[in-house]
């Protein structure tokens, strides 16, 4: 194997014709904060300098988003991911001497944090009779996570409506006799 490329089961690319070795980064980890995701890793062993390229995607998607980082970088952060989604991230190590060569570490999966949902859609309020009103709405277009409940307020009173599914919701409020919630 004079100049043949050898790829080990650990992803280390070695060339035995005197070219520099390209090794993957190690210890890739992801820290998820409420509005920030930080990926960090350890530089490849026995490599004087390296150029990392980070790739990420929503798990199951075919297309990867690629970010080329500065030389010898060991961290990347972003605020631009979709809330409450599972992502995959990996880091490629590039060598530009005598042609581009690269290896990558195994992908790491993580979930982004939930965020505040957008407002409910198609909100309608009608007076039913005398002291009774009916309030109807559809779930928000961007739930940004699981909707646990809706909170409706009339004056100083709050009514929590626990969300069971994505069905249209109706609240009928009898102003002097308590609240009633039903699905339509």
């Amino acid at each position: 194997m004079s100049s043949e490329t050898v790829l080990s089961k650990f992803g280390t690319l070695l060339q035995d014709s005197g070219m520099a070795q390209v090794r993957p980064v190690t210890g890739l980890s992801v820290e998820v904060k409420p509005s920030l995701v930080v990926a960090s890793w350890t530089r490849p062993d026995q490599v004087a300098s390296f150029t990392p390229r980070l790739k990420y995607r929503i798990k199951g998607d075919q297309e990867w988003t690629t970010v080329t980082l500065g030389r010898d970088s060991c961290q990347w952060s972003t605020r631009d991911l979709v809330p409450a989604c599972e992502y995959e991230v990996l880091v490629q190590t590039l060598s530009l001497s005598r042609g581009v060569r690269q290896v990558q570490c195994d992908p790491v999966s993580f979930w982004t944090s939930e965020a505040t949902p957008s407002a409910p859609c198609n909100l309608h309020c009608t007076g039913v009779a005398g002291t009774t009103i009916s309030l109807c709405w559809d779930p928000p277009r961007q739930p940004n996570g699981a909707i646990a409940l809706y909170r409706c307020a009339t004056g100083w009173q709050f009514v929590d409506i626990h969300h069971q599914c994505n069905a249209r919701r109706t609240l009928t409020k009898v102003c002097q006799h308590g609240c009633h919630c039903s699905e339509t």
Side-chain angles (χ1 to χ4, degrees):
M1 289 194 279
S2 60
S3 65
E4 187 175 328
T5 301
V6 178
L7 183 61
S8 78
K9 67 179 183 175
F10 301 108
T12 303
L13 180 66
L14 305 174
Q15 293 203 346
D16 63 356
S17 62
M19 291 185 194
Q21 296 179 355
V22 181
R23 298 178 184 270
V25 299
T26 57
L28 175 60
S29 65
V30 177
E31 181 181 4
V32 179
K33 298 179 180 181
S35 62
L36 180 69
V37 172
V38 179
S40 56
W41 54 90
T42 305
R43 64 181 296 116
D45 291 335
Q46 302 173 351
V47 173
S49 184
F50 73 106
T51 303
R53 181 166 52 192
L54 182 127
K55 290 184 156 192
Y56 66 93
R57 67 180 176 188
I58 294 177
K59 193 164 187 172
D61 282 1
Q62 297 298 315
E63 297 291 321
W64 290 87
T65 299
T66 302
V67 180
T68 301
L69 302 168
R71 191 175 199 156
D72 297 328
S73 294
C74 290
Q75 190 175 64
W76 169 79
S77 63
T78 186
R79 297 182 187 278
D80 297 329
L81 300 181
V82 177
C85 283
E86 186 176 16
Y87 279 84
E88 292 179 303
V89 63
L90 61 85
V91 178
Q92 295 177 324
T93 305
L94 304 175
S95 171
L96 303 177
S97 64
R98 298 187 187 177
V100 176
R101 294 173 294 140
Q102 66 186 23
V103 295
Q104 66 189 35
C105 65
D106 291 331
V108 170
S109 296
F110 65 94
W111 281 88
T112 52
S113 299
E114 292 185 350
T116 303
S118 61
C121 300
N122 302 320
L123 183 63
H124 301 285
C125 182
T126 56
V128 175
T131 59
T132 304
I133 62 168
S134 179
L135 180 63
C136 299
W137 66 90
D138 290 325
R141 286 191 181 91
Q142 297 175 334
N144 294 332
I147 302 294
L149 64 88
Y150 293 95
R151 177 163 281 171
C152 301
T154 58
W156 293 103
Q157 295 179 324
F158 288 95
V159 179
D160 290 342
I161 303 167
H162 295 275
H163 185 65
Q164 302 298 323
C165 63
N166 288 330
R168 183 173 180 80
R169 305 296 292 178
T170 300
L171 169 68
T172 302
K173 166 78 168 134
V174 180
C175 295
Q176 296 172 344
H177 302 99
C179 297
H180 176 269
C181 175
S182 62
E183 276 186 42
T184 59

